[in-house]
Amino acid sequence: MEDRGGNDVPASIPSGEQMVWADVSPLIAAACNDLHDGELIHGENFNLFAAMSALEIMDPKMDSGMERNGFHSIEEAIENGAAPIPLSLDRTVDVQRCIDVMDHLLSCEATWHRGHSLAQTVFSCLYLLRIERTSTHPLLHSYCRIMRSTCDVVITAVSDARTHEEEDFFTTAYSLPLKGDGDEKCLSLLNSVEETVSRQLRACKAQASRKKLCDGRGLELAKKHVMSCLSELGSMSKSVEFLRSNAGGPSDGEIECRTTASGKQPFGFDANINSRLSAPTPPRAIQILSWKQAIEFFEKLLNDMDAIFSLPLDLSLENILQFLVQFQKSQPDLVARAHLQLLLVQDGKLYGKYSFHVVISRALVLPEGTSDQAFQENEFVVQLGQLTINLIKILCTNNAWQRRKLGKILQDWGVISIQLELAFRREFDEMLKVSADEILFTRLSKRLIVWAEEKTYWIASRFLLLGFQLELYSPKEYCMVYWYMYVIFVNLLEKMQMRASYPVDDSRRKGKKKRDLAKDVGLESGVCASSSCMLLQCYVYISEGLTMMLAALHNERQIFKISSPFNSEHERFIQHFELLQRANVPPHISYHLFMESTTHVRISNVVKHNYFREVQRILASLRGSFAGDSNKLLELHQLEQVIEHNRIALSVIDQVGASDPSLEIRFEFQHHPFFPVAVVKRS
Amino acid sequence: MEAPTGDREPEPSEFSPSETEYLSYGGEHHLPLIMSLVDEELSEPYSIFTYRYFVYLWPNLTYLAFHRGKCVGTVVCKMGEHRSTFRGYIAMLVVIKPYRGKGIATELVTRAIRVMMESGCEEVTLEAEVTNKGALALYGRLGFIRAKRLFRYYLNGVDAFRLKLLFPRSETPFLVSQSETSDHLAESQFAYC
């Protein structure tokens, strides 16, 4: 610093009551003299995080407070005319520029949803940062208010749902001005502006402005909102030619990456203005999504929201879990997932209405005479209810995080199953005089155990299957993965079949109309359960078939072998299934058992056993039961492809001889997300 | 932290593995070499504190590869307690482009891992971009599994894999065969860094 007295400091950051500027150059110089080249100040608390957070002052890649070209403060930017109001004295140009600002804000909003900081996206808008300035410009003012309050609503939803992981900073607003008086009335504000604009525009037969989804009184209303938003997005897309021709903007090639429909740079944005707010990491240059990408982003978000609002408010936990798995296939973004979770679990109740003991009791088909009160207060039922809530919340998180969380909660489910079993045995031993109550208790406990175990295996299967979606398995590990899946599926199937076999208690339903009865039975047991069991039976056969096929190829061709200098297949087995093994899911499963069941397998055995033909038979009979369910029918078709291709591959390998070096064998997931087909080529 | 994917580059005609020398961190004169390699190849800006944090605390886990006196690659690691396990961590691995695909990275990493193993580590971890096929193949051959996927781990929005190598427990002895290691190295003629 030139001025040793430290008086000449930037005017934009004045000294205050709590803060005074002081020159530390002499202190730093003295400290430097104490250090020799290559020495490092090291303290106990200077860990990797501290080292990585340390900044090199005046390195533009790290020092966010460094003097840059550009404005030092919002006020300075505004004084220099960076965000004029009106945007032009020419009213037509003013409207054009206003639309550019709106477009760019929309792109910023989408970019924020995609995981960038609010400070560097939406709040790079000078108009938004000083919203009161815009009050003389009703259109811009209302849009900015809506944008601000939308951000606030979204942050609240995401924070409440807590489905976010690495996107943690999504909700970090630092000191950005997010809350504004009267923002909760933004819809009426928007309506009044819209009315005015519409009145002005009606003469020229133009369309009304965009309306945002903020409020949902009932799913039907929400669906209507979604539809109207989608149609507005459609109108926006149609307006692009018009806006571009008016602007005389850049050519088509360049327009692709622009953030406005017109292709023009918007007024009033400064990406660096909040650079000091993006602590603790220095700000990075970010790419704002293009206008086209932003529109696509919001179309996907709206379609995902539509799927959520189409959720039948069904009490069957099985159907809810299936819906969640299906919903996650389209990889919905954080905001949609957060809303789904808020819809499913509110105040610890399903849809904010039904206690989870009710959900569980329906799944169990409670025996006649069970006291609702006693059931509801049973400590295990209370615990299982809580575990079910956690499970639903976890299934709303992104797939990567979801898998890690599922691995962890397996412990809890494993423990409660064991506790239930122990409690049941204890009571049973003490039970010498057999009363009606005790028989009832026995039946109830058994059902509760089976239900808890079934859910445990379901979680385990989801945990293993997500590994494929996340690409966690290498082909060299497929054999052990399919073997473990086979084991889990067999156990899951056993529990599902036990539950499906419970006699439906007619007496509890006597008061109901016939139609309701049919509906109830159809949901939880009967047709639905048996077709689920049959589909699972297909998974069992296919997993077993793939395990054996891979084991035979391993044994006869030595393919898929890793010769690591540091560990063996045993260590990789331990690592992949550590969480399942720790939770005892299932008991008595070990690497040695895997070795025992796969070491001696030959291709000829696999061909003889014909696991895949069994599947074909079941699939044929399943078609009828899934009629009308397009997702299920699609999967049946995929499974047919998988078994057909693998059957052919097996017979080719068998005929040519598994050890023939001219054969090239790969496994590809072209037909099904987690069951591959063997692709055999002769070189 | 990760290493970038390596494109296959034309071989420098004069390359010969016997002329490649591997040294563990030898002092301040090595630091600028490491910093310039990493700064050039990895996107993340690391402060001098980060480099010194590693090389001063674990100089025995930092290796440099020299070809005819030119520094062409480096690996920087650490080890310590992590949730009641003693764990090694590979922080940075870089081989400059023209020297990729020659087993240099495998040799660098293998040396570091061997020191970790001998120092009593139970496992070794690192993160790699899901798109970095070269690095994933390299670590896969060494026995690492993809333990987790980390959603949008990098600032560029790309997911990461957490890779893990578990050493055999002492009750199940596993011999590190020297000949197996060098056979393996001779085979690894793929592009990675």
Side-chain angles (χ1 to χ4, degrees), chain A residues 38 48 51-52 54 56 62 114 166-167 284 333 398 400 404 470-472 477 564 566-567 571 575, chain B residues 1 28 45 47-50 53-54 56 142-143 145-146 148-149 151-152 155 161 164-166 168:
Chain A
L48 178 58
M52 291 196 58
E56 280 177 48
M62 302 184 203
R114 275 285 161 86
E166 276 80 18
E167 312 104 310
R284 313 288 160 131
D333 264 295
N398 72 61
R404 306 209 295 275
L470 300 171
E471 298 170 89
L472 295 180
E477 296 151 358
S564 156
F566 297 111
N567 65 10
E571 280 71 40
Q575 282 178 285
Chain B
M1 295 196 192
E28 194 70 11
S47 73
I48 181 111
F49 297 101
T50 306
Y53 172 80
F54 286 107
Y56 278 79
L142 291 176
I145 70 147
R146 299 172 196 176
K148 290 172 184 176
R149 191 175 176 119
F151 184 64
R152 289 186 191 154
L155 285 158
F161 284 126
K164 269 194 189 180
L165 174 79
L166 179 68

Side-chain angles (χ1 to χ4, degrees), chain B residues 4-192:
Chain B
T5 316
D7 298 320
R8 220 187 161 122
E9 284 280 316
E11 273 182 41
S13 51
E14 70 279 23
F15 181 81
S16 134
S18 62
E19 288 173 322
T20 313
E21 192 187 5
Y22 297 90
L23 295 179
S24 91
Y25 183 74
E28 194 70 11
H29 62 290
H30 278 160
L31 195 56
L33 299 174
I34 297 171
M35 285 173 63
S36 71
L37 278 184
V38 177
D39 279 349
E40 199 176 307
E41 300 287 344
L42 304 184
S43 59
E44 294 284 296
Y46 295 125
S47 73
I48 181 111
F49 297 101
T50 306
Y51 292 104
R52 288 214 164 107
Y53 172 80
F54 286 107
V55 299
Y56 278 79
L57 290 171
W58 299 277
N60 57 335
L61 294 180
T62 294
Y63 281 92
L64 296 93
F66 293 90
H67 183 254
R68 292 186 180 171
K70 182 187 175 189
C71 184
V72 297
T74 185
V75 66
V76 177
C77 314
K78 67 174 227 164
M79 58 188 174
E81 284 291 329
H82 179 89
R83 291 183 191 159
S84 79
T85 53
F86 195 60
R87 175 193 260 199
Y89 177 74
I90 299 171
M92 304 170 202
L93 170 65
V94 175
V95 171
I96 56 173
K97 263 194 179 176
Y99 291 86
R100 290 180 194 167
K102 305 184 186 313
I104 295 174
T106 305
E107 181 62 28
L108 284 166
V109 174
T110 303
R111 284 177 185 244
I113 295 175
R114 204 171 287 139
V115 176
M116 293 173 187
M117 200 177 185
E118 286 157 6
S119 313
C121 284
E122 293 150 72
E123 58 182 19
V124 182
T125 70
L126 67 122
E127 290 91 36
E129 273 190 34
V130 295
T131 48
N132 190 347
K133 303 285 180 222
L136 294 174
L138 183 158
Y139 290 114
R141 286 194 298 273
L142 291 176
F144 281 81
I145 70 147
R146 299 172 196 176
K148 290 172 184 176
R149 191 175 176 119
L150 306 165
F151 184 64
R152 289 186 191 154
Y153 183 77
Y154 294 103
L155 285 158
N156 56 13
V158 175
D159 291 1
F161 284 126
R162 166 134 328 123
L163 304 182
K164 269 194 189 180
L165 174 79
L166 179 68
F167 291 129
R169 297 223 178 88
S170 44
E171 57 266 25
T172 50
F174 182 85
L175 295 172
V176 178
S177 139
Q178 192 58 51
S179 63
E180 201 180 318
T181 312
S182 33
D183 278 357
H184 167 78
L185 288 180
E187 278 166 19
S188 47
Q189 295 296 312
F190 297 96
Y192 49 69

Side-chain angles (χ1 to χ4, degrees), chain A residues 503-550:
Chain A
V504 178
D505 205 335
D506 286 340
S507 58
R508 278 175 73 81
R509 303 173 193 271
K510 263 180 193 156
K512 292 192 175 182
K513 287 179 190 163
K514 262 194 178 169
R515 208 179 35 208
D516 290 345
L517 178 65
K519 203 171 145 196
D520 280 4
V521 177
L523 274 181
E524 287 296 327
S525 52
V527 186
C528 187
S530 78
S531 49
S532 302
C533 289
M534 281 163 77
L535 184 61
L536 188 56
Q537 181 69 62
C538 294
Y539 285 9
V540 170
Y541 283 131
I542 298 177
S543 308
E544 192 183 12
L546 286 168
T547 306
M548 294 305 157
M549 196 168 160
L550 285 154

Side-chain angles (χ1 to χ4, degrees), chain A residues 173-187:
Chain A
Y174 297 108
S175 52
L176 296 172
L178 261 175
K179 309 263 179 201
D181 283 343
D183 272 6
E184 64 281 359
K185 294 182 207 125
C186 64
L187 270 187

Side-chain angles (χ1 to χ4, degrees), chain A residues 123-267:
Chain A
F123 280 85
S124 64
C125 178
L126 298 167
Y127 294 111
L128 206 64
L129 285 162
R130 290 291 178 271
I131 220 160
E132 59 290 343
R133 283 181 65 238
T134 59
S135 55
T136 53
H137 196 301
L139 198 57
L140 185 61
H141 184 67
S142 63
Y143 194 86
C144 287
R145 296 262 308 252
I146 294 292
M147 182 58 75
R148 180 171 73 178
S149 95
T150 308
C151 291
D152 191 42
V153 167
V154 166
I155 287 179
T156 308
V158 171
S159 313
D160 288 352
R162 292 196 211 152
T163 47
H164 53 300
E165 181 204 9
E166 276 80 18
E167 312 104 310
D168 265 353
F169 64 93
F170 182 92
T171 53
T172 350
Y174 297 108
S175 52
L176 296 172
L178 261 175
K179 309 263 179 201
D181 283 343
D183 272 6
E184 64 281 359
K185 294 182 207 125
C186 64
L187 270 187
S188 60
L189 172 75
L190 190 65
N191 280 338
S192 71
V193 176
E194 192 184 354
E195 253 174 51
T196 318
V197 175
S198 298
R199 218 178 304 131
Q200 290 168 353
L201 289 187
R202 220 166 286 142
C204 18
K205 294 183 179 173
Q207 297 227 346
S209 78
R210 186 171 84 102
K211 201 194 285 187
K212 293 205 88 181
L213 174 75
C214 266
D215 172 35
R217 269 163 290 153
L219 296 181
E220 277 310 308
L221 189 58
K223 273 177 83 75
K224 275 184 195 158
H225 271 291
V226 167
M227 284 309 137
S228 87
C229 287
L230 279 168
S231 90
E232 294 298 339
L233 286 179
S235 314
M236 280 172 71
S237 294
K238 279 183 206 150
S239 70
V240 73
E241 289 304 325
F242 172 74
L243 289 168
R244 208 178 296 173
S245 63
N246 276 346
S251 62
D252 274 4
E254 287 173 71
I255 211 114
E256 284 298 309
C257 51
R258 297 302 170 104
T259 58
T260 57
S262 68
K264 290 208 151 187
Q265 278 292 334
F267 275 76

